[in-house]
Amino acid sequence: MFIQFLVEDQSGEKLIDAVLAKFKLEKPHITIEYQIKSYKGIGGLKKGPDVQNIKSQYLLTELPKRMRAFNNTLGYMENASLFIVLDNDTRNTDDFKNQLSTVAKQNKVSIDHVFCIAVEEMEAWLLGDRQAIKDAYPRLHNRIDTKHSNYKQDSICGTWELLADMLTKNGLNGFRKEHPTAMDVGKCKGIWAEKIGKHLRIRENASPSFNYFINELDQRVSILL
């Protein structure tokens, strides 16, 4: 079994890598190989005569070209799948998924593929396991419990900001003073993904979008059993 993942950024890559390590431990008799290609952000879908040849560092911008390329390469492999994992941010999830499916149809993608959309952001998958956050940051137990108690899972609420507020002694304002640039924030997201990802219980997560991702993995493994 081989899975090619496309993700928005390096924090997403670290989180997927941590989840797949745990997923593979559940399936010791099945060979699961995978690769992750991360981008520098989500970008946006483009239109026009040059869309077929766009080269970009952003996932959506390059998605049509990448899907066509993997349709060719993975088409020769047995039990291969393409997983596109991205945030919906403030988009309507169903509309966004329909838009992505239209892109796949327009580019005649025939290989097994799935769009896994984190609602609102992939940090929601970390917030789906409060105990994992506490295990990763044991000195912040009380703060984590207090801040997490007001969180509605997979809501559009400023997800990464909530996690930053939770894990910073001086709260979100203090975090922003210490990490003023987008690059600073990206580095912190990568640290959170790696540290909390190691403790995630992939069968005990409160995030519906995370559980959808795991279910899509399960479906493909079940074919091999």
Side-chain angles (χ1 to χ4, degrees):
M1 177 181 180
F2 177 81
I3 305 174
Q4 174 67 55
F5 293 97
L6 302 181
V7 299
E8 283 186 37
D9 53 32
Q10 290 188 345
S11 64
E13 179 178 353
K14 291 178 179 179
L15 181 53
I16 295 295
D17 204 32
V19 171
L20 263 290
K22 294 174 179 291
F23 187 80
K24 288 175 67 174
L25 286 176
E26 294 181 343
K27 323 289 181 185
H29 303 302
I30 298 177
T31 300
I32 302 174
E33 298 179 334
Y34 65 93
Q35 290 183 354
I36 307 173
K37 177 172 177 52
S38 62
Y39 288 81
K40 293 187 176 181
I42 191 168
L45 293 168
K46 303 296 182 182
K47 296 181 180 180
D50 296 327
V51 70
Q52 301 285 336
N53 301 311
I54 287 178
K55 184 175 182 180
S56 171
Q57 295 179 325
Y58 301 103
L59 175 53
L60 282 182
T61 311
E62 204 181 53
L63 184 60
K65 183 175 73 174
R66 280 290 174 179
M67 292 194 75
R68 290 195 307 274
F70 285 119
N71 192 61
N72 291 331
T73 57
L74 299 184
Y76 293 99
M77 300 175 64
E78 189 175 2
N79 299 316
S81 300
L82 176 63
F83 274 56
I84 299 97
V85 186
L86 65 178
D87 302 340
N88 77 319
D89 298 314
T90 59
R91 301 174 181 87
N92 176 280
T93 305
D94 292 335
D95 291 345
F96 189 32
K97 186 171 288 188
N98 289 336
Q99 185 181 20
L100 295 170
S101 297
T102 297
V103 172
K105 290 178 182 177
Q106 289 174 340
N107 288 274
K108 300 179 181 180
V109 178
S110 58
I111 59 166
D112 178 52
H113 63 281
V114 61
F115 298 103
C116 296
I117 300 174
V119 186
E120 159 192 28
E121 299 164 329
M122 286 189 76
E123 284 74 28
W125 295 6
L126 303 178
L127 288 166
D129 190 342
R130 185 193 305 194
Q131 187 59 50
I133 304 174
K134 293 166 71 172
D135 289 344
Y137 295 90
R139 295 182 179 180
L140 298 175
H141 273 211
N142 292 336
R143 184 177 180 83
I144 291 166
D145 280 336
T146 300
K147 295 290 182 179
H148 199 286
S149 64
N150 296 318
Y151 173 58
K152 182 180 178 181
Q153 188 65 55
D154 282 25
S155 60
I156 309 299
C157 64
T159 307
W160 77 258
E161 291 92 342
L162 174 63
L163 190 57
D165 186 50
M166 187 182 298
L167 300 179
T168 306
K169 183 178 179 180
N170 295 320
L172 182 58
N173 289 335
F175 175 86
R176 284 178 166 151
K177 289 179 180 179
E178 296 172 14
H179 308 92
T181 70
M183 185 177 293
D184 293 331
V185 173
K187 288 180 180 178
C188 289
K189 288 184 174 184
I191 292 170
W192 301 334
E194 193 166 16
K195 289 189 69 172
I196 301 171
K198 291 178 181 178
H199 298 280
L200 278 183
R201 301 165 298 170
I202 65 172
R203 301 296 174 180
E204 301 177 56
N205 199 295
S207 168
S209 57
F210 177 83
N211 292 327
Y212 177 86
F213 173 72
I214 294 296
N215 183 60
E216 291 296 323
L217 292 174
D218 284 337
Q219 287 186 40
R220 283 148 181 87
V221 168
S222 67
I223 297 173
L224 305 178
L225 297 176

